[in-house]
Amino acid sequence: MTDAKLMGRGGAAFPTGRKWAATAGQPVRPHYLVCNADESEPGTFKDRVLMEGDPFGVIEAMTVAAYATGCTRGYLYIRGEYPRAFSLLRNAIAVCRERGFLGPSVMGQPGFDFDIEIRRGAGAYICGEETAIFNSIEGFRGEPRSKPPFPVEKGLFGRPTVVNNVETLANVLLILTEGCEAFQQVGTAGSTGSKLFCVSGTVPKPGVYEVPFGATLRELLELAGGVDDLRAVLLGGAAGGFLRPDEIDLPLTMEDARTAGTTLGSGVVLVLDGTVDVGGFLLRIAEFFRDESCGQCVPCRIGTVRQEEALHRIVQRKGDAQDLVLLRDVGQVMRDSSICGLGQTAWNAIESAIDRLGVQL
C-alpha cells in the first residue's frame, strides 16, 4: 500500500500504508479493524454501489487489511438506510465463515484468526467520524473523541485500530492483483489510481462515475451529460466548497483541489444550474449541520444554530450587514475550535458561495 501510494478515499486522503504500518507496529494486542461504511455525507452513494455490487470483495479486502495489520476482529459499520447492502454483506460473511475464509485459522493459515461483525448506524452524520464510530460500536453516544491519542494507538475498546472506508479497501485488491507499478500508472504522481465520483444535481445522467485522478471536472460533467446553464459545482458535499463555471477545467486530484482552495472530499460533485435558489440551498446546508451537530463542544453546538439563524434572516431579507459579519465570525470560531471535522467545516460551503461565487445573500 505504501509503494502504491494509496491515499484514503473517505475524504481525509491519509496515506493508507502509513496508517497500516502504524497500527501493525503497536505491541498492544488485540488490534481491531473498522470498515467505515456509514456513508452519511449528503450526495455520496459510491460505497453503497460497491457494497451491493461486490459484497465478497469488501469482505476479502477487510481480511487482507487485517492480515497486514495484525487484527483479529473486524467491524463493518454500515449506514442504517442501506438495507440491501446490509442483507448482501450479512450473507457474504455467512458464506465466508462456512468456507473457512473467516473465523479461526483463515484459509488454513495457522495463527491468523479473523472474523467480522456488522454494526448498523442509526442515521447520525457524526458517526462517519472515525472516533465517533468507536463510541457507537462500544454502545455509547456517537460523539468524537479528542486526539491524541490517535486510533492507531488507542482506538476501539482502547486498542490499536485501523479505520478505512469502503472505496479505499476496494483499491487494496486491485493493487494486490495488478501490482504497485500498474496502479501508479493510473492517475498522477501525487494522486495515484482512479476515483469514484457521485455526480448529482441538475445533470441529465446522475450516478457514480470512475475516472483516473487528473481527469478534469469538465470531462466528468460531460460523462454525466453536460450542463447548459451551469451556475456552480459543489465539490466534497456539504462540508466542501464551490467552483465557478470558469473553473471546471480543474484537474481532479488531491493536490490540485487543495491549490484551488477546495476539496474532493468523499467524491461528491453536486451540480447547480441557473434554476437553483442558491440562498435556499445554503440555508438547507446550515439546517443540516444544526441537526447533525452532536452538541459535545460549544463552538459547534451553538455556532451551527447561530449560523442557521443568521442565514434565515438574510435569505428572508430580514437581516442587515451585521448578519454577514456574524456569519464570518461564527464560522471562523467553529473552524478554529471545534473538536471534530463537522464543526470545522460547517462554514465551508457558505463561505465559498459568498467569496468564490459572489452570491449576494
Side-chain angles (χ1 to χ4, degrees), residues 8-14 46 165 168 195 254 258 263-267:
R9 304 298 202 248
F14 192 84
K46 58 182 176 60
N165 88 316
T168 305
K195 179 77 180 78
M254 308 291 188
R258 281 192 294 267
T263 177
L264 298 186
S266 56

Side-chain angles (χ1 to χ4, degrees), residues 151-216:
V152 296
E153 303 165 324
K154 189 176 180 182
L156 185 64
F157 302 115
R159 301 297 182 180
T161 306
V162 59
V163 184
N164 289 123
N165 88 316
V166 176
E167 187 187 356
T168 305
L169 290 170
N171 281 275
V172 169
L173 303 182
L174 181 64
I175 293 169
L176 288 178
T177 54
E178 301 296 327
C180 297
E181 292 184 3
F183 187 79
Q184 289 188 59
Q185 287 175 3
V186 180
T188 65
S191 299
T192 57
S194 61
K195 179 77 180 78
L196 296 178
F197 289 96
C198 307
V199 184
S200 60
T202 53
V203 290
K205 295 185 291 184
V208 178
Y209 292 86
E210 182 178 11
V211 296
F213 276 116
T216 65

Side-chain angles (χ1 to χ4, degrees), residues 26 44 59 61 77 106 112 125 200 214 232 244 296 305 325 327:
Q26 296 294 323
T44 313
I59 303 307
Y77 192 91
V106 173
F112 178 43
Y125 176 78
S200 60
R244 301 184 303 269
Q296 182 183 16
V305 175
V325 175
L327 272 178

Side-chain angles (χ1 to χ4, degrees), residues 8-52:
R9 304 298 202 248
F14 192 84
T16 302
R18 191 189 306 174
K19 181 186 292 187
W20 285 18
T23 306
Q26 296 294 323
V28 179
R29 290 293 190 273
H31 293 177
Y32 291 106
L33 170 71
V34 175
C35 175
N36 185 351
D38 188 60
E39 195 173 36
S40 52
E41 183 69 46
T44 313
F45 39 89
K46 58 182 176 60
D47 289 349
R48 175 177 62 82
V49 172
L50 289 171
M51 289 185 288
E52 292 179 358

